[in-house]
Amino acid sequence: MEKHIQRRVNQDASHLPQELHPIVKQIYANRGVTNAQELALTLSNIAAINSLSGVDAGCHLVYQALLENKKITIVGDFDADGATSTALMMDALRLLGSINHDFVVPNRFDYGYGLSPEIVDIAHQQGADVIITVDNGISCMAGVERAKSLGIIVIVTDHHLPGEKLPPADAIINPNQPDCNFPSKALAGVGVAFYFMSALRKHLRDNDWFTKRQIQEPNLGQLLDLVALGTVADVVPLDANNRILVSQGIKRIRAGHTRPGIQALIEVAGKNQQQLVANDFGFALGPRINAAGRLDDMTYGIQCLLAPDLMMARSMASELDTLNKARREIEQGIQAEAERVLASLSLADDKLPFAIALYQPDWHQGVIGIVAGRIKEKYHRPSIVFAKSDSNDNEIKGSARSIPGLHIRDLLEHIDSQHPGIIIKFGGHAMAAGLSVYTEQFDEFAQLFNNYAQTWLTKEQLTGTIWTDGDLPANLMTIEFAHHLRESGPWGQQFPEPIFDDEFELLQQRIVGEKHLKLVVQKSGVAFDAIAFNVDLKQWPNHKARSIRLAYSLDINEFRGKQSVQLMVAHLTA
């Protein structure tokens, strides 16, 4: 689908510090930064812990469990946010003096998402007295009810949107639950876990826990490497609060103050630890952790994050890297099949459905979310890709990705309320969700999905737009300014990395790899290297083109110890 380049309308930037570079100041203003304090990314500026509902009740329950040496079981999730949340909770409890805690993570293929009754039974068999969920639980009514029937105390920590009813947990810590006044609703699961453990440390301090047991009160800042990784990998909005958490985590990692597991993942991904940026979490480290949960068991990814030494961590990171390569191959195969299905419908862009739902029985459940995201990006349509459930032949599981303007979880809730019995269960966010439907009702669901999307969206919203920050003078297309932009982040979801656009003279073009276009372009007499990934080979290389319009980010290429400016192309037209 053709995308369009559109420049952002410049907002008033006069309220921002004068010492900022004028272009950076304008970039901040155009991303909604309203005051200088939002740019002070220090921990002293994070939202207050006591404004997060449920932490007092949760802290009291954990404190009592510690006093009585009750078994605490962390129940995580099988994505990078769930893995980092679980690892953070395990480490934090150890640092705070717990000697009786463990974790359980449901296998995607055997148990599905969250605190199910089956997972509760496993935790119960392992002696759990207290269950703490991380990155799940807010929609797990049956699981919480099962735990309560067994006499297990349940503390839910989650960030997903709640349904009409809350589970009957002993404490719920979720910034998105009703009547919670916490100002940052965008916390990832790992962010909620970090806040909870920070509150627990204060609760223990107030009760003389550390003094009585002669335990040194820990600096929980050492957990911020996990918070940064999980926050970016979960693609939650980088509001001011999340930017602080991510920025502080990146600083610790760059300074060498990180756990062996993250150091090993950086190494196997071929990244420079001293130059690490938020983007590396989302595109290099996160996918390698996710690969464990997609193809095997996320327990392995969590164990890598908890590895006690670098030798063990390197071995585990290497295995995760191998899994990630296998994941890519499976994903590419499914994506190619999905695109062939769409092509077989002989639909032009203006005839595509408003929403795309696809299913084949042999597709791999572990990668359907990534494939849905790729289809959404290519066709700029809300997309759901389904695969057969491993636990029930009558069900298929879907992973949904949406576009701006359509809240995917709200749409699923609407379908469920208007047509009960088609969707078995669902949950998620505005831009991503998961669901299960009965196999024989897939066609009906796909039709309803498209019909309701058509009433919720306009045709204009189905046009892909590359938003840019305008042109960049050639004298600023330097390594120094590229470094300045990099350090002006962290950039990420809803706080996007600066993208510029301009016309260039096209000097050279060639395909590298299978479908990446390597370019040499010129502006104001200065030549620049550029690269565009996954181009349409029917259009490129275009040897008739003498000029080219690029939307690009300013990047730094490192090769054999030397740095040079490189344009990372987001869109190109001849």
Side-chain angles (χ1 to χ4, degrees), residues 455-478:
T455 64
W456 287 33
L457 287 167
T458 65
K459 284 191 174 181
E460 290 72 26
Q461 289 172 305
L462 299 180
T463 301
T465 303
I466 304 291
W467 291 96
T468 80
D469 296 285
D471 60 341
L472 186 65
N475 67 338
L476 288 179
M477 297 173 68
T478 63

Side-chain angles (χ1 to χ4, degrees), residues 108-109 293-296 330-331 334 360-369 371 385-388 390:
R108 178 193 300 266
F109 310 104
R294 293 188 186 282
L295 300 188
D296 196 349
I330 295 169
E331 172 206 330
I334 294 177
Q360 280 191 198
D362 60 343
W363 284 352
H364 196 291
Q365 190 186 133
V367 301
I368 53 176
V371 175
V385 177
F386 287 87
K388 198 169 185 177
D390 288 312

Side-chain angles (χ1 to χ4, degrees), residues 3-7 464-468 501 549-551 571-573:
K3 295 186 178 181
H4 303 283
I5 296 173
Q6 188 165 336
R7 294 186 174 183
T465 303
I466 304 291
W467 291 96
T468 80
D501 74 275
R549 184 171 187 81
L550 300 180
H571 190 65
L572 71 166
T573 53

